[in-house]
């Protein structure tokens, strides 16, 4: 009987020790799962939906994250719909340009899923809508161009100048949210009576039509969005009364808040402007610079902007890497 009591006493001593070890193991496991404290940090994946401004902002953020915070980064390419779904499902961690108004339903669905979160507004001064070359309104003495539509200010004013543009208005490619809005504006202002709506096959062909007319000093009116290299390189005037302003968001998969909270803090501070982005896209085009190199060039020239997004020790690491 004494042996039974002795065994029971030993068991009562062992059980708490086992429980303590188990709890310690849980805490150790938690530490191992925390990429902020663990040397084996996760690779942070960015979305690439195919446009240059997104690639530029990706590389600005990736450079800071890699050099300043010590993470590896990668990118997943695809359409806007596919990459947004990837963000929702956790295959993508960061999306540097969510054009909220252009994908309103899909964005709201992603947020409602509970896995996607807006952390900042990258820029809110972009304007998309109908544009004309400024020389159409003001002329360009250096090029020998006289004003063709001196009182043109709004979309509605186009009705008075249909002949100037040969009755052609270049719209958005089919399938874009902007195409739906363009058609609505044509209807709203009665432009269909005087203009033929030219629908380009792609964003590239739309840009090409604008560039060709601009280089020849010819009148052109059509849909354009910013930021783009054209709006950085060419003097264009936006016609009032077309499209609503579109906040461009930085978003994350919420898991990143647990696995890389310091990175999320940085992304929450990330803010630029359409003017900044237009300028860098223009520089990329003129000098045939890739987005990665343009990002490093921009970081070197603009520490007064980006160092406000990160702690001093992170800023120093990034500067040293450049």
């Amino acid at each position: 009987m004494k042996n039974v009591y002795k065994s029971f006493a030993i068991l009562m001593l062992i059980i708490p020790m086992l429980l303590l070890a188990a709890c310690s193991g849980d805490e150790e496991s938690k530490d191992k799962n925390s990429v902020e404290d663990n040397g084996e940090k996760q690779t942070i994946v960015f979305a690439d939906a195919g446009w240059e401004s997104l690639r530029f902002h990706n590389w600005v953020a990736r450079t800071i994250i890699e050099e300043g915070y010590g993470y590896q980064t990668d990118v997943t390419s695809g359409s806007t719909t596919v990459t947004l779904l990837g963000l929702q499902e956790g295959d993508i961690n960061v999306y540097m340009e969510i054009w909220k108004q252009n994908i309103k339903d899909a964005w709201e669905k992603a947020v409602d899923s509970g896995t996607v979160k807006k952390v900042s507004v990258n820029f809110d001064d972009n304007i998309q809508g109908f544009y004309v070359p400024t020389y159409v309104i003001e002329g360009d003495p250096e090029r020998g161009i006289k004003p063709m539509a001196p009182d043109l200010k709004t979309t509605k004013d186009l009705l008075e100048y249909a002949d100037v543009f040969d009755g052609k208005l270049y719209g958005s490619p089919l399938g874009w949210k902007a195409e739906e809005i363009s058609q609505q504006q044509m209807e709203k202002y009665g432009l269909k009576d005087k203009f033929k709506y030219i629908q380009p096959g792609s964003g590239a062909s739309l840009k090409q039509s604008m560039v060709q007319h601009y280089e020849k000093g010819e009148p052109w009116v059509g849909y354009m969005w910013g930021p783009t290299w054209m709006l950085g390189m060419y003097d264009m005037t936006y016609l009032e009364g077309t499209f609503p302003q579109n906040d461009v968001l930085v978003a994350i998969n919420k898991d990143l808040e647990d696995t890389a909270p310091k990175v999320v803090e940085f992304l929450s501070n990330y803010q630029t402007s359409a003017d900044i982005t237009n300028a860098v896209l223009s520089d990329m085009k003129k000098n045939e610079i890739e987005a990665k190199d343009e990002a490093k060039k921009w970081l070197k020239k603009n520490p007064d902007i980006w160092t406000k997004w990160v702690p001093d020790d992170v800023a120093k690491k990034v500067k040293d890497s450049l």
Side-chain angles (χ1 to χ4, degrees):
M1 194 70 176
K2 288 182 180 180
N3 288 337
V4 172
Y5 285 121
K6 184 177 181 180
S7 298
F8 179 77
I10 293 172
L11 185 61
M12 293 301 291
L13 289 172
I14 291 174
I15 288 174
M17 294 175 65
L18 290 173
L19 290 173
L20 182 62
C23 291
S24 177
D26 284 344
E27 290 300 319
E28 184 177 345
S29 176
K30 287 179 183 177
D31 287 342
K32 287 183 178 180
N33 288 330
S34 172
V35 297
E36 294 270 325
D37 300 326
N38 179 28
E40 298 179 4
K41 296 179 177 180
Q42 74 171 81
T43 297
I44 297 177
V45 181
F46 285 72
D48 179 0
W51 59 89
E52 285 302 315
S53 60
L54 174 58
R55 288 171 180 157
F56 165 73
H57 287 294
N58 277 351
W59 273 114
V60 170
R62 290 177 69 179
T63 301
I64 291 173
I65 290 169
E66 289 182 1
E67 303 298 342
Y69 292 93
Y71 291 82
Q72 294 296 312
T73 69
D74 204 348
V75 65
T76 294
S77 301
S79 67
T80 302
T81 302
V82 169
T83 49
L84 184 58
L85 182 61
L87 184 72
Q88 184 176 328
E89 294 182 347
D91 299 321
I92 292 172
N93 307 113
V94 182
Y95 214 127
M96 294 300 295
E97 278 192 26
I98 295 283
W99 289 67
K100 185 176 67 172
Q101 293 300 117
N102 287 6
I103 54 168
K104 189 173 183 293
D105 292 342
W107 168 248
E108 290 178 354
K109 182 178 179 181
V111 172
D112 290 344
S113 73
T115 62
V116 171
K117 178 181 179 180
K118 162 196 164 184
V119 291
S120 68
V121 176
N122 190 333
F123 48 89
D124 60 5
D125 58 339
N126 68 298
I127 300 177
Q128 60 175 331
F130 296 150
Y131 281 82
V132 299
T134 301
Y135 61 70
V136 169
I137 302 170
E138 301 177 4
D140 186 344
E142 291 185 6
R143 299 177 68 187
I145 301 173
K146 295 181 179 181
M148 307 170 204
D151 296 321
L152 179 59
K153 295 180 180 179
T154 69
T155 301
K156 186 177 181 180
D157 293 339
L158 286 171
L159 292 171
E160 304 300 321
Y161 295 105
D163 291 343
V164 170
F165 301 100
D166 197 23
K168 295 178 182 178
L169 186 148
Y170 291 81
S172 165
L174 186 66
W176 291 18
K177 179 67 174 178
E179 197 274 334
E180 177 185 329
I181 300 175
S182 294
Q183 294 283 10
Q184 290 172 353
Q185 298 303 309
M186 292 284 289
E187 188 74 36
K188 177 179 178 180
Y189 294 107
L191 299 180
K192 290 186 177 181
D193 295 334
K194 292 192 176 183
F195 282 88
K196 180 181 179 181
Y197 186 84
I198 308 296
Q199 189 161 68
S202 66
S205 60
L206 173 62
K207 292 176 183 178
Q208 185 179 25
S209 73
M210 194 207 89
V211 171
Q212 286 177 341
H213 283 78
Y214 195 102
E215 293 292 339
K216 294 177 182 178
E218 297 174 345
W220 180 92
V221 60
Y223 168 75
M224 191 52 61
W225 70 95
T228 58
W229 65 265
M230 289 87 66
L231 296 185
M233 187 179 297
Y234 299 126
D235 188 1
M236 302 291 291
T237 294
Y238 169 76
L239 298 181
E240 299 171 14
T242 47
F243 286 52
Q245 190 169 326
N246 199 338
D247 287 348
V248 179
L249 313 178
V250 177
I252 61 167
N253 180 280
K254 282 189 175 181
D255 286 349
L256 199 64
E257 291 183 307
D258 296 324
T259 57
K262 293 178 183 177
V263 169
V264 173
E265 184 178 355
F266 149 59
L267 292 171
S268 299
N269 294 328
Y270 194 103
Q271 184 176 12
T272 63
S273 69
D275 286 344
I276 287 172
T277 311
N278 279 331
V280 298
L281 293 178
S282 176
D283 189 60
M284 288 169 64
K285 180 68 176 180
K286 288 178 182 177
N287 299 301
E288 298 182 350
I289 301 175
E290 295 295 325
K292 181 178 182 179
D293 295 328
E294 185 68 32
K296 289 184 177 181
K297 181 178 178 180
W298 184 85
L299 287 165
K300 286 180 183 178
K301 287 186 173 182
N302 297 279
D304 57 316
I305 298 175
W306 65 265
T307 55
K308 296 176 182 178
W309 305 337
V310 297
D312 291 343
D313 61 324
V314 172
K316 184 178 185 306
K317 291 176 185 177
V318 176
K319 287 180 180 179
D320 291 344
S321 75
L322 299 173

